[in-house]
Amino acid sequence: MASDSCCSTQLIDGDGVFNVTGIDSFIKEVKLAECGLSYAVVSIMGPQSSGKSTLLNHLFGTNFREMDAFKGRSQTTKGIWLANCAGIEPCTLVMDLEGTDGRERGEDDTAFEKQSALFALAVSDIVLINMWCHDIGREQAANKPLLKTVFQVMMRLFSPRKTTLMFVIRDKTRTPLENLEPVLREDIQKIWDSVPKPQAHLETPLSEFFNVEVVALSSYEEKEEQFKEQVASLRQRFFHSIAPGGLAGDRRGVVPASGFSFSAQQIWKVIKENKDLDLPAHKVMVATVRCEEIANEKFFSFSGNEDWRELEEAVQSGPVSGFGKKLSSVLDTCLSEYDAEATYFDEGVRSAKRKQLEEKLLQLVQPAFQSLLGHLRSGTFDKFKEAFDKALDNGEGFSVAASHCTQSYMALFDERCADAVIELANWDTSKVRDKLRRDIDGHVSSVRAAKLSELTSLYEEKLKEALSGPVEALLDGANSETWPAIRRLLQRETASAISGFSDALSGFDMYEETKNKMLTSLEDYARGVVEAKAKEEAGRVLIRMKDRFTTMFSHDSDSMPRVWTGKEDIRAITKTARSSSLKLLSVMAAIRLDNADADNIENTLNVALVDSTGGAVKDRSITTVDPLASSTWEEVPSTKTLITPVQCKSLWRQFKTETEYTVSQAIAAQEANKRNNNWLPPPWAIVALIVLGFNEFMTLLRNPLYLGVIFVAFLLVKALWVQLDISGEFRNGALPGLISLSTKFLPTVMNIIKKLAEEGHVPAAANDPHRNPALASKSFRNGVNASSETSSTGSSEVIENDYSSSSKQE
């Protein structure tokens, strides 16, 4: 892009100092950075006061300072000046070099001449060499020594870059250009041939380095109009100079316009420091610096991008829908801007710096991406747990629910990962996916273990409930069918539980071996419940034995309480009750849950504990072997033994000791009852009484009045018998009865006399029961009450005496 107006700046001053600030301002003013590769650089060199600035001003519309001929020939341009051409496409920059062979620098001019010439050749696409027409063919013409030195340095320092050398012949004479050009080309070829060449360029032709053009112009002072026409014609050749076939169409290693300032500065720095400069290496260096600057600029631009900021903030709190597309769009925009600005730099450097920019950008956004993956993983895992629990609550099989939910939510995670993936990055999400899968598998295993434990506990509880109570009841009523009944109960309840448990486990899709192991464990648990209950009951066997003995001893076959009337066979009853208790002990002595269980425990106990006591050892000198003097039962494993033989012997001894009192009490009650029922005299006494009392009996028959007296006496005795409860008093023995009667006899007699006296004072009308029923009823109640009171008093005294006597006996 060319500007319609011209601006200029001094690029390098007369002391060789590069004007960095000036060129940066110049580039901004002419907007050179926007040109990319569409720009050209033209420079001019030649003797001092040879009209270089004048030619440039007319040719390119620049405003370089021109020499005032009226003030004499002197140095006009100092250092190197830079200007932009007005009205030429593409953007063309012109450098006006300080003239050579000037008297102002004296003998030191050659150093700056060589430096500036070398700089012009390194930077420019087209170099105008301004020379006088009459110098053609002369050996010591002004530019020939300079060209020779420049060619030599170019051969040593530069790789070929195809610079156009345009020799502008000034003040052309009548000699046609067709005759001048061959001579000039021959001189240039001689200079090229005479230059010492490095080994790499011994056979390199001049055309490989330079494209030589020759142009002739008339004298500006003598033929100004003709000069201007020729310059205008020459100006047309600079339009589209970089197009193929143009003046600069064959250029190589072009530095993009945005890197021109830095490139020119570095080239001048290397030339000033006399360092070797390889143009392709310089091109790479310029591209490296500029591409890095562009990359850094785009990186900071991306860092402050609002879209990226919003995504970064949003992803901290939760998953973002369309994260990958949104972020990829921002990244693509940033990289596209980089590509647009760095497109003209060296491709290798540009690509490398673009790769570095990509890596920096991806490194910047990776934490957000990882955070998003974390949200996706945790969110998917939470939803999986919720769906899995819901499926189980709805009654779906565990394995089916686990498989279905796992596949669904792993697919959901993959879908969300695909939505979050950044196209530019090839990030691996497999680790996060594997972590999610491990979390899901771990949760499934945890729930599986909990469910299996819950099922196991449920069926164990059912078994415990179904076995504990019935087993306890069966052991409480121990008999020959107790253990067979327990075995049948165990088999029935275990089979029922195993069936239900097996059906419940079928939904867990487990190995058959594992399933069988769990079923076996449940069977063992059921057996353990029975064994534990048996051990528990074995610990209370003595209490059970005493309860059974008491129940059987104190109740008859109809379960009615026994009344010891004296007709009962206490010995037989005791033996039966003890045999039943011994049966309970034999049942509780060992666990018999196997069908093959058969033992002689009951027989052993009968022989050792019952038979041995029934048939006493006649010969005490003969020592018999005690079958209970052992810690194990014969043919019974120790694991199935609940009560050892020694313990049975000890328990039986304690049992007999604690039940003897009950037996003795029964015997005492029976004897007392017998005594109470035997108050009449013996039969022989009755016969003697009848024989001896015959005369008295006849006397009573002859005198009926005696019968009335006897009847009244009988009534009095009967009243005393009832009031004193004589049969009850003698129930506990004769002596206690007599003592008790002696204390109550007199009060009872007095009470009867008092009642009779009271009855005698009542008027006849009032005393007539037929006329006054209320009085009769009252009298009856009083008699009954008095009788009851007397009876209760006597009974209480008897109970107290009985209790005291029992205490003494104990």
Side-chain angles (χ1 to χ4, degrees):
M1 174 181 177
S3 177
D4 292 337
S5 59
C6 177
C7 62
S8 61
T9 185
Q10 188 176 33
L11 184 61
I12 301 173
D13 63 14
D15 297 326
V17 179
F18 197 91
N19 184 11
V20 179
T21 306
I23 191 172
D24 289 342
S25 300
F26 171 82
I27 289 174
K28 289 180 181 179
E29 186 172 353
V30 301
K31 299 180 180 179
L32 180 63
E34 300 177 3
C35 296
L37 297 179
S38 298
Y39 78 103
V41 180
V42 180
S43 61
I44 188 168
M45 65 175 68
Q48 179 177 305
S49 303
S50 60
K52 298 188 298 299
S53 300
T54 302
L55 174 61
L56 294 178
N57 290 339
H58 283 84
L59 184 60
F60 299 113
T62 55
N63 55 5
F64 293 121
R65 180 183 174 189
E66 299 179 6
M67 182 190 72
D68 189 351
F70 294 99
K71 292 182 178 180
R73 302 180 68 84
S74 60
Q75 188 181 46
T76 304
T77 303
K78 294 183 179 181
I80 301 174
W81 284 76
L82 180 68
N84 68 309
C85 300
I88 294 181
E89 291 287 349
C91 178
T92 303
L93 304 181
V94 180
M95 290 193 301
D96 188 8
L97 276 64
E98 179 181 320
T100 61
D101 198 19
R103 65 179 178 82
E104 285 78 9
R105 288 190 180 271
E107 295 180 357
D108 296 331
D109 64 342
T110 56
F112 189 79
E113 285 177 9
K114 294 175 182 178
Q115 291 172 351
S116 59
L118 187 56
F119 178 76
L121 286 172
V123 173
S124 304
D125 299 305
I126 304 169
V127 178
L128 302 177
I129 300 176
N130 201 44
M131 63 183 301
W132 300 111
C133 182
H134 53 73
D135 284 338
I136 297 175
R138 297 171 60 184
E139 185 63 29
Q140 298 299 324
N143 284 309
K144 284 186 179 180
L146 178 61
L147 281 176
K148 185 175 183 179
T149 303
V150 168
F151 284 171
Q152 185 175 352
V153 176
M154 284 282 290
M155 292 291 291
R156 184 170 60 88
L157 297 181
F158 294 163
S159 296
R161 66 184 301 266
K162 204 69 170 182
T163 303
T164 298
L165 295 179
M166 179 175 281
F167 290 86
V168 181
I169 302 172
R170 302 293 297 274
D171 296 350
K172 183 179 76 72
T173 60
R174 293 179 180 178
T175 305
L177 180 61
E178 289 80 3
N179 295 333
L180 295 174
E181 183 175 350
V183 177
L184 181 58
R185 288 184 179 274
E186 184 179 352
D187 291 342
I188 296 171
Q189 187 63 45
K190 287 181 180 180
I191 294 172
W192 177 258
D193 294 339
S194 64
V195 170
K197 300 178 181 65
Q199 190 66 29
H201 296 292
L202 285 176
E203 303 297 331
T204 303
L206 175 65
S207 60
E208 188 68 22
F209 276 87
F210 301 105
N211 182 23
V212 180
E213 296 282 342
V214 180
V215 176
L217 298 176
S218 299
S219 172
Y220 173 68
E221 294 180 355
E222 297 177 1
K223 301 177 180 180
E224 183 175 354
E225 292 300 326
Q226 190 176 358
F227 173 80
K228 289 182 178 179
E229 290 177 2
Q230 292 171 348
V231 168
S233 176
L234 179 61
R235 175 184 173 87
Q236 295 301 318
R237 297 188 64 183
F238 287 91
F239 279 89
H240 306 293
S241 58
I242 64 173
L247 282 178
D250 296 332
R251 62 182 183 164
R252 304 169 190 167
V254 184
V255 176
S258 60
F260 175 77
S261 172
F262 177 76
S263 175
Q265 182 181 356
Q266 292 300 315
I267 290 175
W268 179 251
K269 180 179 179 181
V270 173
I271 291 175
K272 286 287 289 181
E273 294 174 358
N274 292 320
K275 292 183 178 179
D276 290 347
L277 178 65
D278 185 9
L279 195 57
H282 172 73
K283 173 186 173 184
V284 170
M285 179 191 68
V286 174
T288 301
V289 174
R290 280 297 300 145
C291 289
E292 189 168 349
E293 289 177 353
I294 296 170
N296 291 334
E297 178 185 346
K298 298 309 170 189
F299 178 78
F300 290 119
S301 174
F302 177 85
S303 300
N305 185 279
E306 287 297 326
D307 294 337
W308 156 242
R309 292 282 187 182
E310 290 177 2
L311 280 176
E312 188 178 25
E313 283 184 18
V315 82
Q316 297 302 321
S317 56
V320 178
S321 178
F323 177 86
K325 291 182 179 179
K326 293 176 182 178
L327 188 55
S328 295
S329 175
V330 181
L331 289 171
D332 290 343
T333 301
C334 178
L335 293 173
S336 298
E337 291 176 357
Y338 169 84
D339 292 337
E341 294 189 28
T343 185
Y344 301 113
F345 289 99
D346 181 79
E347 182 179 358
V349 176
R350 181 177 74 243
S351 300
K353 293 300 178 183
R354 190 184 196 277
K355 187 66 176 177
Q356 292 178 6
L357 176 61
E358 288 179 6
E359 292 175 356
K360 287 179 67 177
L361 291 173
L362 294 178
Q363 188 176 6
L364 177 66
V365 303
Q366 190 175 25
F369 178 74
Q370 293 297 332
S371 178
L372 176 64
L373 288 183
H375 289 308
L376 292 179
R377 182 188 61 79
S378 59
T380 305
F381 183 52
D382 291 339
K383 289 186 176 181
F384 166 81
K385 291 193 291 185
E386 181 180 351
F388 186 46
D389 293 342
K390 186 176 181 181
L392 293 179
D393 292 340
N394 291 336
E396 192 171 347
F398 185 90
S399 297
V400 174
S403 176
H404 176 70
C405 291
T406 299
Q407 291 177 2
S408 298
Y409 285 91
M410 289 305 296
L412 177 62
F413 178 77
D414 293 338
E415 181 181 343
R416 290 185 173 183
C417 278
D419 181 64
V421 165
I422 301 168
E423 296 177 0
L424 184 63
N426 189 23
W427 287 330
D428 184 14
T429 60
S430 61
K431 290 184 178 180
V432 180
R433 190 182 192 278
D434 292 343
K435 177 67 167 61
L436 174 62
R437 186 57 187 260
R438 288 196 301 271
D439 291 344
I440 289 177
D441 291 344
H443 179 71
V444 170
S445 298
S446 175
V447 174
R448 175 192 180 93
K451 291 293 183 183
L452 289 176
S453 177
E454 183 180 342
L455 275 175
T456 303
S457 300
L458 175 63
Y459 280 93
E460 286 179 351
E461 190 64 29
K462 286 183 178 180
L463 278 173
K464 186 175 183 181
E465 183 178 354
L467 293 174
S468 294
V471 167
E472 183 176 353
L474 288 171
L475 291 175
D476 185 38
N479 54 46
S480 300
E481 291 299 318
T482 296
W483 283 109
I486 291 176
R487 285 197 294 270
R488 289 192 297 271
L489 173 68
L490 176 62
Q491 291 172 358
R492 183 178 67 253
E493 296 299 333
T494 302
S496 176
I498 290 295
S499 177
F501 194 46
S502 178
D503 292 341
L505 292 180
S506 62
F508 285 85
D509 191 21
M510 60 176 59
Y511 291 115
E512 194 66 26
E513 181 182 355
T514 305
K515 182 178 178 180
N516 292 336
K517 187 176 180 181
M518 295 185 70
L519 295 177
T520 303
S521 177
L522 187 63
E523 290 180 355
D524 294 340
Y525 176 81
R527 191 181 184 95
V529 168
V530 174
E531 292 179 354
K533 179 54 68 174
K535 290 178 181 178
E536 181 183 344
E537 292 301 312
R540 296 199 293 264
V541 66
L542 182 60
I543 298 174
R544 298 288 190 191
M545 289 169 66
K546 291 193 295 183
D547 290 344
R548 174 170 289 195
F549 177 83
T550 302
T551 301
M552 295 194 68
F553 186 79
S554 302
H555 295 79
D556 57 18
S557 59
D558 296 330
S559 298
M560 297 298 292
R562 292 183 188 275
V563 178
W564 303 105
T565 61
K567 299 177 181 179
E568 297 82 11
D569 186 356
I570 293 179
R571 181 180 297 275
I573 294 172
T574 301
K575 186 175 182 180
T576 302
R578 285 181 176 175
S579 297
S580 180
S581 298
L582 188 66
K583 179 67 175 178
L584 188 147
L585 180 62
S586 66
V587 169
M588 298 293 294
I591 297 172
R592 302 172 180 88
L593 290 179
D594 296 326
N595 293 328
D597 285 338
D599 54 67
N600 295 320
I601 294 178
E602 185 175 359
N603 293 333
T604 303
L605 291 176
N606 282 323
V607 170
L609 301 178
V610 178
D611 295 344
S612 63
T613 57
V617 180
K618 297 180 180 179
D619 189 359
R620 297 184 179 274
S621 64
I622 301 175
T623 303
T624 59
V625 178
D626 188 355
L628 297 183
S630 174
S631 59
T632 57
W633 296 105
E634 188 177 349
E635 298 180 357
V636 177
S638 59
T639 55
K640 295 183 179 181
T641 300
L642 296 177
I643 306 172
T644 64
V646 174
Q647 291 173 338
C648 286
K649 186 174 183 180
S650 176
L651 286 170
W652 186 254
R653 184 184 298 113
Q654 186 176 356
F655 163 75
K656 287 182 67 177
T657 302
E658 294 183 8
T659 56
E660 281 178 356
Y661 175 73
T662 303
V663 177
S664 63
Q665 286 290 91
I667 294 172
Q670 193 179 50
E671 290 178 353
N673 197 0
K674 287 179 180 180
R675 286 194 299 270
N676 291 338
N677 292 332
N678 292 334
W679 61 273
L680 292 175
W684 62 266
I686 295 174
V687 172
L689 183 62
I690 292 172
V691 172
L692 295 175
F694 180 76
N695 294 330
E696 287 76 8
F697 179 70
M698 294 303 294
T699 301
L700 289 175
L701 291 177
R702 293 188 189 102
N703 296 300
L705 183 60
Y706 289 154
L707 289 174
V709 173
I710 292 172
F711 179 71
V712 171
F714 173 76
L715 291 177
L716 290 174
V717 173
K718 184 66 176 177
L720 287 172
W721 185 277
V722 172
Q723 292 291 329
L724 292 175
D725 189 19
I726 292 175
S727 61
E729 295 293 342
F730 283 98
R731 188 176 297 124
N732 295 320
L735 183 61
L738 291 174
I739 295 173
S740 177
L741 288 175
S742 65
T743 58
K744 294 191 292 182
F745 179 77
L746 187 59
T748 303
V749 172
M750 296 300 296
N751 188 31
I752 292 173
I753 294 172
K754 183 179 179 181
K755 293 292 183 180
L756 291 173
E758 289 176 356
E759 291 292 334
H761 287 86
V762 177
N767 290 339
D768 190 355
H770 300 285
R771 298 180 181 179
N772 196 344
L775 182 59
S777 175
K778 180 178 179 181
S779 300
F780 178 77
R781 285 198 304 270
N782 290 336
V784 172
N785 288 341
S787 175
S788 300
E789 182 179 353
T790 305
S791 175
S792 116
T793 303
S795 299
S796 65
E797 290 178 358
V798 173
I799 292 171
E800 289 175 359
N801 293 332
D802 184 37
Y803 179 75
S804 61
S805 64
S806 299
S807 299
K808 290 176 182 178
Q809 291 179 10
E810 289 179 358

